[in-house]
Amino acid sequence: MMRGKVWKFGDDVSTDLICPGRYYHLRSNLSELAKHALEDADPEFAANVEKGDFVVAGRNFGLGSSREHAPVIIKLAGAGAVLAESFARIFYRNCINVGLPAIECDTSKFEAGDEIDIDLAAGIIRDLTNGATVTFAPLEPAMQKILDDGGLVEHIKKHQGFSIA
Amino acid sequence: MGLTLAEKILSNNLGSEVRPGDFAVFRTDLCLLQDGTGPLAVRQFRKIGFEKVFEPSAVVVFLDHAAPCPKSELANDHMLLREFARQTGCTLSDVGDGICHQVMSQYHTSPGDILIGADSHTVTGGALAAFSTGMGSTDLAVGMGLGKTWLRVPATIRVQCTGALQRGVYSKDLMLSIISQIGADGATYKALEFGGDTIESLTMASRLVLSNMAVEAGAKVGLIASDSLTEKYLEEHARTDQYKRIAPDDDASYESVLDIDSAALEPQVACPHTVDNVKPVGEVSGTRVHQVFIGSCTNGRLEDIAIAASIMREKTRHPDTRVIVTPASRRVYMEAVESGYVDTLLRAGALFMPPGCAACPGVHGGILGDGEVCLATTNRNFLGRMGNPKSHVYLSSPATAAASAVTGVITDPREVV
Ligand code: SF4
């Protein structure tokens, strides 16, 4: 069970908004780069997000570049999961690989600042501020396994290769 | 039921038939890293404990996004990648050699390959009938170490294009129109498959534009069947033996079919700040342009530079509009020099950046000022994409870009060609 506060974002938040190109030179300095996470979508986010808070967005979150730095710095900044109506493909895959839960669900009921809790295994999110309950479909078993192992690096180390079939 | 191009390539790779929705681990024929995503991939590779890449000749490392380096941190990343290439024996494409997707198309990608790249525009290889797709650094670390990756087989949207493009209208206009119809997420998790007589008569340079931008509709791949033109392209790059005919079955089953009347198409412009915000050029003509950028893995090929040169011949750029041209590869640059296009464009007031990504990702080489407008032949106009969230990026064909360079405002190229 995870519990935290909602940081609300709109539709089409690109990886350029999450991890701007002007900080390209910080890509080998992830803790510095994380200070700019989501900067062009909400300049307040990185400095004020608390450990375990959630990034909650609309459609097509993470569209654009393949930069894995985008989910990595969201995670390093402290977010416990990303919730969106839908995700761009590469971003979604990267979330699983870096061990950041990405949950596809109806996010319209959650408002900025709401306190929510998420039961990943049961697929239930409860908004403790307004009482709303939202369900979501479990992950594909292959992806769940990678996530459970702690991301792709750990998965491969543990199984000495892929073990998802 | 027959197979689509995506299903066919994946089934061949696996040696057994797969269908949309199936999960499997596939052999990777080629892996691509670039200087923005490569350093993390190398660190993940080492973290897993790999020492060797599965096949040195199948891994290509590109120094193209920050090339030459504008900052010491990036120069250090380049050192890391050069050292990795030396240590593992994989191929290094160094500063000035060109953009990863262009160089891969010229010298590496072949029909039927599965190519994974730590760059979203890896989809470019689909024009050569390769299942070519972008992933993150960790996926590439594993791909390099094991020669394998997991994939879910995508359902396919067939984009059926009929008729000849009019004068002044190019494959970029066609693709912008397709993206506006599908939407920026309309093909998420899916394969696009381009076909029809329009596609058959396009040059390889023009086909590469379509596949390159498939990701702007969210697609996993943007495939085109291989044919005699593919064979000729490989031959021109000394790779005749790598040709294979790969086409979808006549009775392939598509999730949907999008019919496009190519002959009815006008020049298109994608407006800030999403690629699917597309308008016919007439609706935005007159918009003041501070910078024209002709380049990128979308439209930085010889054909594009030739079009720009033909429009700007014996003209000069508008005094308030700077014009940056960046050939997509060393070979493209050399051919543009030999053909006289570089001379023409220099005389018209353009400046050249060395082959690479240059201004496209907002790292260096053409960052915009507050409130400035760039008309670019690239593939993305997201807020901040070209380095400044207070600037505005419009996307067009090289013809529209060159016509606008002369007038200083967005201009319909049919008024000048
Ligand atoms: S030219 Fe632009 S889109 Fe293409 S690989 Fe370089 S940065 Fe990416």
Side-chain angles (χ1 to χ4, degrees), chain B residues 364-397:
Chain B
H364 67 139
I367 291 173
L368 300 158
D370 292 358
E372 284 197 318
V373 169
C374 180
L375 181 61
T377 67
T378 58
N379 44 46
R380 284 190 179 137
N381 58 353
F382 302 149
L383 185 80
R385 169 71 182 180
M386 291 180 77
N388 184 349
K390 294 189 183 125
S391 64
H392 310 272
V393 181
Y394 292 74
L395 308 176
S396 76
S397 74

Side-chain angles (χ1 to χ4, degrees), chain A residues 28 59 68 89 93 97 140, chain B residues 77 133-134 137-139 152:
Chain A
S28 285
R59 283 166 57 112
E68 191 170 303
R89 182 188 75 81
R93 186 176 175 117
N97 286 344
E140 298 277 357
Chain B
D77 283 345
T133 188
S137 299
T138 304
D139 274 317
R152 178 165 60 180

Side-chain angles (χ1 to χ4, degrees), chain B residues 189-211:
Chain B
Y189 303 114
K190 292 172 192 162
L192 292 182
E193 182 181 298
F194 304 97
D197 60 65
T198 314
I199 309 301
E200 283 159 22
S201 60
L202 288 179
T203 62
M204 185 53 72
S206 293
R207 289 181 183 181
L208 287 161
V209 175
L210 302 176
S211 297

